[in-house]
Amino acid sequence: MTTILEATHVEKTYGIKGNTYTALQDINLEIREGEFVGIMGPSGAGKSTLLNIFSTIDTPTAGEVVIAGQNIVTMNEEQLSDFRRNKLGFIFQDYNLLDTLTVKENILLPLALSKVPAAEIERRVNEIADTFSIRDILDKYPYQISGGQKQRTAASRAIVADPSLILADEPTGALDSKSATSLLQSLKKLNEENGSTIMMVTHDAYAASYCKRVVFIKDGQLVQELHKKNQTRNMFFDQIMEVLAALGGEHDDIV
Ligand SMILES: Nc1ncnc2c1ncn2[C@@H]1O[C@H](COP(=O)(O)OP(=O)(O)OP(=O)(O)O)[C@@H](O)[C@H]1O
Ligand SMILES: [Mg+2]
């Protein structure tokens, strides 16, 4: 299997001389094509910092990050913006949908910007809308749809151009449990049927139980990982809860 992401000795230190804070320390992580990886850990552990580095929004203080064969640490701004558009898909908590465009127009925007032919756009949008169960709301505007539908629209837009790596930071954080389940099922389907590679940061053991592998981070270091074997999602959930309990820290919002 092809390696999609390889992080080697990644370190992130904030602040200036004499008053520094090390948010990440010697992070080594490989993600292969077709993986669905969850990143978990207590608040302040460094999860968002790590995701922001992989997203190219932030840069590491030391170490190397190679995504889809390209070293993202040494790229200039122009190369980075091309790279983000062509190789990465982002699913964040705030949906960032354009209010004056319909759901369909929001989703097809990245394809239109890349000058993909109209027939191909139509095919891709319908396929993705089926995956995320939003086919019946394609002609509505963002203000006419629910939070869960907005999140699934944003997720559809993030992946419509078939990125090498999908990065999600707490994608279910603002959703009720029904909408969260629906989004997670869609991501799982995308991973299993489309072979999409996904990395998802989450506080929520339920969300993490949809992953195939969960990596735990504490005080800026990767401390443990779990692989989902031949076990049910419930069994994997229990295993995740055990590791979280052993790690300690704040987990008041994991129910
Ligand atoms: N710009 C910054 N300057 C200084 N310190 C920062 C900065 N950004 C983050 N930190 C610190 O780095 C550590 C890791 O932060 P990060 O946001 O990655 O945590 P997290 O694991 O995502 O937490 P949460 O679960 O609460 O979202 C925290 O202690 C935080 O205070
Ligand atoms: Mg965070």
Side-chain angles (χ1 to χ4, degrees):
M1 279 271 204
T2 322
T3 299
I4 292 289
L5 177 148
E6 185 148 35
T8 324
H9 304 306
V10 168
E11 186 189 296
K12 179 70 186 182
T13 302
Y14 288 110
I16 45 168
K17 228 177 175 182
N19 185 17
T20 59
Y21 180 83
T22 301
L24 294 174
Q25 236 183 97
D26 197 25
I27 299 286
N28 296 287
L29 180 67
E30 184 187 5
I31 297 179
R32 288 165 175 264
E33 192 172 14
E35 280 206 282
F36 186 0
V37 181
I39 306 284
M40 292 200 87
S43 185
K47 302 180 297 293
S48 294
T49 303
L50 188 63
L51 195 95
N52 289 342
I53 288 173
F54 294 165
S55 309
T56 78
I57 292 165
D58 204 350
T59 50
T61 317
E64 216 177 60
V65 181
V66 176
I67 298 178
Q70 290 178 270
N71 185 346
I72 61 166
V73 178
T74 55
M75 282 187 202
N76 64 31
E77 263 315 311
E78 198 187 331
Q79 291 169 319
L80 281 176
S81 91
D82 278 351
F83 181 81
R84 279 195 286 267
R85 199 175 59 240
N86 297 323
K87 303 288 182 192
L88 300 179
F90 301 101
I91 308 176
F92 291 145
Q93 240 188 61
D94 48 0
Y95 321 113
N96 262 321
L97 298 175
L98 299 175
D99 292 332
T100 54
L101 300 182
T102 64
V103 165
K104 183 175 182 174
E105 290 162 347
N106 265 286
I107 296 173
L108 63 76
L109 199 60
L111 296 179
L113 292 174
S114 300
K115 303 203 165 39
V116 174
E120 171 68 8
I121 289 182
E122 190 70 20
R123 195 189 62 76
R124 284 290 295 156
V125 170
N126 286 331
E127 190 181 284
I128 223 91
D130 281 342
T131 303
F132 282 91
S133 311
I134 49 170
R135 203 148 175 173
D136 53 336
I137 56 157
L138 283 176
D139 294 324
K140 292 194 173 180
Y141 287 87
Y143 69 87
Q144 298 173 310
I145 63 178
S146 73
Q149 289 168 333
K150 280 183 199 163
Q151 185 59 295
R152 279 179 280 146
T153 301
S156 300
R157 185 186 50 191
I159 62 192
V160 75
D162 206 10
S164 303
L165 180 63
I166 296 162
L167 296 165
D169 196 357
E170 304 280 1
T172 58
L175 302 180
D176 63 44
S177 66
K178 191 163 164 268
S179 301
T181 298
S182 173
L183 179 71
L184 291 164
Q185 281 169 345
S186 302
L187 290 175
K188 185 168 182 274
K189 192 168 158 197
L190 192 76
N191 170 254
E192 286 173 358
E193 292 174 14
N194 202 39
S196 302
T197 311
I198 307 172
M199 177 179 142
M200 173 174 79
V201 165
T202 181
H203 267 93
D204 180 6
Y206 174 73
S209 71
Y210 280 84
C211 298
K212 291 178 185 161
R213 169 159 71 119
V214 180
V215 176
F216 296 86
I217 179 167
K218 188 181 184 187
D219 301 330
Q221 288 179 291
L222 299 186
V223 287
Q224 199 169 342
E225 68 176 29
L226 290 175
H227 288 261
K228 190 169 174 202
K229 307 244 170 59
N230 287 327
Q231 61 193 143
T232 62
R233 201 175 46 70
N234 277 334
M235 286 161 73
F236 195 44
F237 172 85
D238 290 343
Q239 235 187 329
I240 292 166
M241 290 298 279
E242 273 174 40
V243 174
L244 289 177
L247 283 182
E250 286 173 58
H251 284 289
D252 45 11
D253 53 349
I254 45 163
V255 261

